[in-house]
Amino acid sequence: MSTQYLWPQFVCLTISLATTALGVFIGQTKNFQNVFYFVFPATLGVEIVKFFIIQKCFQIPGNAFPNATGKHNNYGTLSFIKDLLKTVTIFLFAIIVVAFALGATNLEATIYFSLILTCISLLPIQLFVGPRCAVLVMLSSKLELGKLIAEQHLDFLQYAAIGAILGSWGSSIAMPLDWDRPYQTYPIPQVVGAIGGHLLGCVFFVLRTMLINAKNEIKKKSIL
């Protein structure tokens, strides 16, 4: 597996790190509570921008909206609208499922957290493989996309989603601690944990792939 296939992941990771760093900087200079509720629209915008940048630069097959790459002319406006509506429907359904699973008493905060978690876990996969396959991918089903670069990017999105879910779950330990700090207010720890886990999942995948590539190169040289 060549390192050149990692370029889409490098781009995604760089954008995520840059926007997160910017968000932390703004949160420190402004009132954190006021800035917090801009996290979802900012996250949604970043994920959509990442998708279109990846499709424009690398034209990876398997995406939900083929005309984003300028190819597949038979993919008309009607098909685009249908897939878009399906994506939105599944996205909203996932938000309801996550909110119901959490079962928190603060409904507004729970829905807001569900929006962000779904946005950084399910939405990127939906945009990449389409609404029909996104649920299967979230259940760890393996899709054959025809090209190694596409399958590797899908694995990258899965690692990012798993990291976000685990990060949000692990960050819940901060809530019972009697620190009486603003950032302990639900769902701030969960949102921070989800975003942090998302980034760690991305970094872990990139490092893991680079390590595998390095081992393969060493094996090739030892054979020669």
Side-chain angles (χ1 to χ4, degrees), residues 40-159:
F40 169 67
T43 303
L44 178 63
V46 167
E47 291 302 330
I48 293 174
V49 167
K50 284 197 297 186
F51 164 72
F52 279 103
I53 288 177
I54 292 301
Q55 291 303 318
K56 186 69 175 178
C57 295
F58 302 99
Q59 299 186 357
I60 303 176
N63 56 293
F65 309 110
N67 58 352
T69 65
K71 295 185 176 183
H72 308 294
N73 294 326
N74 60 335
Y75 188 85
T77 304
L78 183 59
S79 298
F80 177 86
I81 293 174
K82 285 182 179 179
D83 277 349
L84 181 61
L85 289 175
K86 289 177 183 177
T87 299
V88 172
T89 301
I90 294 174
F91 181 76
L92 294 176
F93 179 74
I95 291 170
I96 296 172
V97 171
V98 172
F100 179 78
L102 291 172
T105 55
N106 190 334
L107 182 61
E108 180 184 355
T110 300
I111 291 176
Y112 188 78
F113 168 59
S114 302
L115 281 168
I116 296 175
L117 181 59
T118 307
C119 184
I120 60 178
S121 58
L122 177 64
L123 182 62
I125 296 175
Q126 278 189 293
L127 292 174
F128 186 62
V129 299
R132 298 180 184 89
C133 301
V135 177
L136 293 176
V137 171
M138 290 298 291
L139 296 175
S140 300
S141 294
K142 184 69 175 178
L143 294 182
E144 298 294 335
L145 298 179
K147 286 190 176 181
L148 180 60
I149 188 172
E151 293 177 358
Q152 179 168 298
H153 190 64
L154 180 57
D155 290 341
F156 170 78
L157 296 178
Q158 284 181 296
Y159 272 79

Side-chain angles (χ1 to χ4, degrees), residues 205-218:
F205 178 84
V206 171
L207 294 178
R208 172 182 173 272
T209 305
M210 291 178 66
L211 180 61
I212 292 174
N213 290 343
K215 287 182 177 180
N216 290 338
E217 288 296 325
I218 292 173

